[in-house]
């Protein structure tokens, strides 16, 4: 649990001064993508059957994810902070041949 709390705290630090929660969903998605693209994630959002999906085409941590999977939890926490609702990872760079990380928002 300690590692999870550290990742959540780090995520809050990374997205400080971003309060998108009061915005409509499409605006929050656009603002979130803009914010994390400033961190070199090469992100986009798309509609999905389970809800909106945020796709990270470039993970800054890809080279060390195998040894540090907790960084994916940091990304989840960062998206939760920005979107004001939960985000759940459904695909990860390097896992099962995936070249992107995908998070479903709101579930």
């Amino acid at each position: 649990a300690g590692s999870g709390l550290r990742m959540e705290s780090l995520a809050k630090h990374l997205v400080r001064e971003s309060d998108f929660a009061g915005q409509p969903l499409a605006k929050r998605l656009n603002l979130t993508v803009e914010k994390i693209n400033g961190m070199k994630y090469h992100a986009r959002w798309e509609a999905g059957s389970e809800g909106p999906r945020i796709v990270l085409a470039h993970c800054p941590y890809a080279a060390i994810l195998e040894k540090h999977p907790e960084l994916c939890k940091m990304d989840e926490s960062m998206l939760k902070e920005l979107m004001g609702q939960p985000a759940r990872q459904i695909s990860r760079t390097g896992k099962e041949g995936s070249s992107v990380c995908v998070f479903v928002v709101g579930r």
Side-chain angles (χ1 to χ4, degrees), residues 28-104:
R28 277 184 285 154
L29 287 162
N30 288 327
L31 289 168
T32 295
V33 165
E34 183 180 312
K35 177 77 172 179
I36 60 179
N37 277 339
M39 298 178 207
K40 311 295 186 219
Y41 278 89
H42 304 240
R44 68 181 189 280
W45 76 269
E46 58 191 32
S49 60
E50 297 179 58
R53 300 176 350 152
I54 295 180
V55 179
L56 308 180
H58 173 262
C59 174
Y61 316 108
I64 61 171
L65 274 183
E66 283 303 314
K67 291 185 178 179
H68 298 283
E70 68 272 12
L71 291 168
C72 294
K73 291 295 180 193
M74 182 196 67
D75 288 342
E76 270 185 7
S77 293
M78 185 170 58
L79 292 172
K80 177 182 173 187
E81 286 294 315
L82 289 167
M83 290 296 303
Q85 58 191 116
R88 178 177 52 90
Q89 188 173 34
I90 60 170
S91 178
R92 187 178 94 201
T93 299
K95 195 162 193 153
E96 299 172 5
S98 180
S99 62
V100 296
C101 294
V102 181
F103 296 83
V104 174

